[in-house]
Amino acid sequence: MKKLLTAAGPQALPDQNMFAVLRAGFSSDLDKPAIETDEGLFYSWRDLERGTAMMANLLASLELPAGARVAVQVEKSVETVMLYLATLRAGYVFLPLNTAYKSAEIEYFLQDSRPAVVVCSAAHFGWVSKAAFKCGTTHVFSLNDDRTGSWLERAAHCVDQHQVVVRQADDLAAILYTSGTTGRSKGAMLTHGNLASNARVLQDYWCWRAGDVLIHALPIFHVHGLFVALHGALLNGSKMIWLSKFDAKAVLRHLRQATVFMGVPTLYVRLLAEPGLTLEAARHMRLFISGSAPLLMETFVDWQERTGHTILERYGMSETVMLTSNPCEFDTRHPQHGAERRGGTVGFPLPGVSLRVRDDQGNNCAADEIGAIEVKGPNVFCGYWNMPEKTAEEFTEDGFFKTGDVGKIDQDGYVTIVGRSKDLIISGGYNVYPAEIESCINELPGVAESAVVGVPHPDFGEVGVALLVPKAGVVLSASEVLAALRSRLANFKLPKHVEVTAELPRNAMGKVQKNLLRERFKSMF
Ligand code: MLC
Ligand code: AMP
């Protein structure tokens, strides 16, 4: 595992700080709009510069220890973006948390990461601050999506100039929690170098150009919305049309002023359900990008027919940011750029990324042979927070990260993901680990055991179905169980169907036969 924080040496370059990397891309005309919100507000590049300076000065005034974590669970807003950028600028570590997480989930993240600062919405201040103080956090602030809260009140008193803190490529920039197959979430540690290398590669590979305008409709507590979309626009000095929440009609309204859109497949499915999605509506657009979950061929083809655009599918992870991408357009700098965007594939490894597919014996697979996907590159994270053994397990001896995805590389070099070795459900672009849901169900009074499987869903791609067996003599209802889970788990993790059963199907070894359950419920939705 790499070191987490380097003291600034005499040769240290300030532009290793990811904030400085992004700021170098800001429009030279600071008064131009950088972000236009769905409420009709405009933020200029100067607003971003000043706002992040004030917030970075506020962080500096707190005299936090080196490497301090700033954990944030707030609704999407431009001020949240500023808080993220200010954390980088001040040299601390950003730790975003999905707003859907409930108290038990938040308590775990705070206990595990021990942040020095926690920022949450005023509505949740009571329980979040209690959990934060319990694990040693010294500062808790509120930040609301209506631009109120103690965080902004305090920042308003700070000076609007700030010298970017020197950071090296190996210094920690962010921790992103991803659920695990054992049910225990792991904090993926990403460095300034990880973020900067990936953002630069994508700027080039996706041919970001002057005049591009991004519709930002994704949440900003995960890789896709926080890094891929946000960094892309900032690094290119491109304006963002900022939707606080995905809304298909709002996206359609803005297509004529935009050129780039990024979404998980569910967003494309929902846009296709809008009669207003036509060739004419999409004429101004340059690029539609999809990722975070498999894009069905049907969606890919329907999109081509309706809009005349070919969706560019790419593949990434919290631990690695982006790994592969279909080509953008013809560009002689990249040999693959004369190639087509192929539906059902995630394209080619990005420049600088080594990607291999290996069989059970650890041999490289031949073209089209299916195996485990392993990756290496400047974008690959430096380990799981506080989990050196788990980190070591996930890397091969020669330094490749085991993604847990199963795939193949064809004769032309296109990568296709065919499945996962990790027991994971991807629902609407969010990861749900059956083990976590099962352990939550098993803790409920009267439950003997349970099994959760992922099944196809027309909107979310995949959703969870839970089967549970009550203890002898106990009568349980599915609705009771669901109500109990609702208070413990983020809403996107809730199984979309719960069934009480006398026993789970098992094989001769006593293992639950999840394949039979998947088969039984495959047409349920
Ligand atoms: C919402 N619901 C979901 C869900 N989102 N259920 C399953 N899966 C989901 N993803 C449920 C809610 O619990 C609620 O149920 C009902 O749907 C309506 O809730 P909502 O809040 O109104 O939903 P909506 O706003 O429509 O959200 C759907 C969505 C959202 C698709 C817009 O989930 C979303 O923004 N997904 C994107 C996730 C993302 O950014 N992933 C990137 C991860 S990074 P009820 O019962 O309460 O009514 C990554 C790496 C990479 O993976 O490669 O990018
Ligand atoms: P996360 O841990 O939330 O970052 O999710 C990463 C996982 O999402 C990957 O390991 C893949 O399983 C999946 N994923 C991301 N992009 C794609 C894609 N284009 N197609 C299929 N799966 C994807």
Side-chain angles (χ1 to χ4, degrees):
M1 198 191 304
K2 291 181 202 161
K3 61 185 179 322
L4 300 187
L5 198 77
T6 352
Q11 291 89 32
L13 295 169
D15 66 356
Q16 301 286 308
N17 184 314
M18 184 59 186
F19 176 76
V21 172
L22 295 171
R23 190 170 67 173
F26 284 14
S27 167
S28 54
D29 181 353
L30 286 179
D31 291 320
K32 273 176 104 175
I35 304 181
E36 176 189 341
T37 72
D38 45 5
E39 292 173 279
L41 297 175
F42 285 85
Y43 292 74
S44 66
W45 295 97
R46 193 185 305 284
D47 292 332
L48 293 188
E49 168 56 28
R50 289 183 60 231
T52 57
M54 291 159 93
M55 291 185 192
N57 281 323
L58 171 51
L59 285 171
S61 74
L62 302 178
E63 298 182 351
L64 309 173
R69 275 81 58 210
V70 178
V72 175
Q73 192 200 26
V74 298
E75 294 298 338
K76 182 177 177 182
S77 73
V78 179
E79 286 68 26
T80 317
V81 172
M82 291 191 194
L83 170 54
Y84 162 57
L85 296 174
T87 306
L88 295 176
R89 185 172 185 156
Y92 297 113
V93 180
F94 193 69
L95 199 156
L97 294 165
N98 194 321
T99 47
Y101 292 145
K102 300 282 166 58
S103 64
E105 293 161 310
I106 292 292
E107 274 169 32
Y108 169 80
F109 297 126
L110 299 185
Q111 279 295 333
D112 192 55
S113 62
R114 307 258 158 189
V117 178
V118 170
V119 184
C120 63
S121 64
H124 295 166
F125 194 86
W127 64 267
V128 175
S129 60
K130 205 165 143 202
F133 292 135
K134 216 163 84 187
C135 60
T137 300
T138 38
H139 306 278
V140 184
F141 295 94
S142 59
L143 174 62
N144 306 310
D145 54 0
D146 61 358
R147 299 176 303 288
T148 61
S150 59
W151 175 256
L152 295 178
E153 283 160 23
R154 288 283 298 276
H157 295 289
C158 295
V159 178
D160 65 358
Q161 280 169 6
H162 172 269
Q163 176 84 32
V164 179
V165 171
V166 173
R167 280 291 170 266
Q168 301 299 295
D170 278 356
D171 289 337
L172 197 53
I175 298 179
L176 265 68
Y177 273 90
T178 72
S179 298
T181 38
T182 56
R184 214 184 134 203
S185 285
K186 303 164 291 188
M189 299 189 289
L190 292 156
T191 64
H192 288 265
N194 293 147
L195 302 183
S197 64
N198 209 241
R200 287 186 171 123
V201 162
L202 293 178
Q203 188 192 21
D204 197 38
Y205 206 78
W206 290 345
C207 307
W208 279 92
R209 59 183 63 158
D212 268 338
V213 175
L214 172 80
I215 299 180
H216 194 302
L218 287 160
I220 51 169
F221 25 70
H222 295 295
V223 162
H224 201 158
L226 184 64
F227 299 150
V228 188
L230 189 68
H231 290 172
L234 293 176
L235 190 61
N236 196 53
S238 279
K239 187 174 115 174
M240 279 183 272
I241 296 174
W242 190 257
L243 306 186
S244 49
K245 206 172 178 292
F246 171 75
D247 170 0
K249 288 193 169 52
V251 171
L252 281 187
R253 265 200 313 277
H254 290 293
L255 281 185
R256 288 177 177 85
Q257 298 112 48
T259 61
V260 183
F261 177 78
M262 298 188 196
V264 300
T266 299
L267 306 199
Y268 287 98
V269 169
R270 290 189 184 182
L271 282 165
L272 278 166
E274 292 293 327
L277 182 78
T278 57
L279 278 174
E280 183 48 37
R283 196 179 296 286
H284 194 254
M285 290 295 289
R286 177 174 77 81
L287 190 57
F288 288 97
I289 302 174
S290 173
S292 308
L295 182 75
L296 292 183
M297 200 58 189
E298 186 189 328
T299 312
F300 179 85
V301 171
D302 287 353
W303 194 267
Q304 260 175 339
E305 282 171 6
R306 287 276 291 283
T307 69
H309 287 274
T310 305
I311 296 176
L312 176 155
E313 188 171 3
R314 61 38 168 204
Y315 156 57
M317 296 181 76
S318 301
E319 288 92 335
T320 64
V321 208
M322 294 302 98
L323 290 165
T324 73
S325 172
N326 268 280
C328 178
E329 55 206 80
F330 190 76
D331 178 346
T332 46
R333 287 168 304 169
H334 304 295
Q336 296 115 348
H337 274 205
E340 60 176 338
R341 276 176 219 164
R342 262 186 215 169
T345 84
V346 291
F348 307 103
L350 288 166
V353 174
S354 304
L355 183 147
R356 68 188 184 195
V357 174
R358 298 190 118 192
D359 65 19
D360 290 345
Q361 280 75 48
N363 302 311
N364 285 339
C365 292
D368 286 321
E369 219 179 281
I370 292 170
I373 298 179
E374 298 178 351
V375 295
K376 197 180 195 173
N379 51 315
V380 175
F381 75 137
C382 63
Y384 292 113
W385 176 257
N386 273 342
M387 290 186 177
E389 292 88 13
K390 186 77 198 156
T391 302
E393 270 172 36
E394 300 298 327
F395 281 86
T396 62
E397 279 186 2
D398 57 348
F400 277 73
F401 172 60
K402 304 175 194 168
T403 63
D405 292 310
V406 174
K408 60 181 182 177
I409 308 176
D410 73 12
Q411 300 281 0
D412 301 328
Y414 286 86
V415 178
T416 301
I417 298 171
V418 300
R420 305 166 200 132
S421 60
K422 51 196 177 193
D423 191 9
L424 164 70
I425 301 166
I426 304 186
S427 184
Y430 286 137
N431 289 3
V432 181
Y433 277 86
E436 183 188 355
I437 317 305
E438 286 160 7
S439 74
C440 196
I441 298 176
N442 295 347
E443 277 168 19
L444 299 177
V447 174
E449 59 173 352
S450 62
V452 172
V453 290
V455 299
H457 188 275
D459 183 30
F460 294 120
E462 235 181 336
V463 294
V465 165
L467 273 96
L468 61 102
V469 180
K471 283 183 178 152
V474 177
V475 178
L476 284 175
S477 78
S479 55
E480 268 178 315
V481 169
L482 207 48
L485 292 180
R486 200 172 275 281
S487 63
R488 292 167 171 82
L489 290 170
N491 57 8
F492 64 87
K493 295 181 190 168
L494 293 177
K496 294 279 186 265
H497 174 75
V498 175
E499 212 168 283
V500 180
T501 178
E503 58 180 0
L504 298 173
R506 290 182 184 281
N507 65 15
M509 314 287 287
K511 210 169 169 305
V512 177
Q513 289 171 299
K514 286 199 169 180
N515 52 335
L516 295 186
L517 296 178
R518 276 186 213 106
E519 188 55 33
R520 194 174 132 203
F521 292 102
K522 74 176 183 205
S523 306
M524 170 145 229
F525 300 97

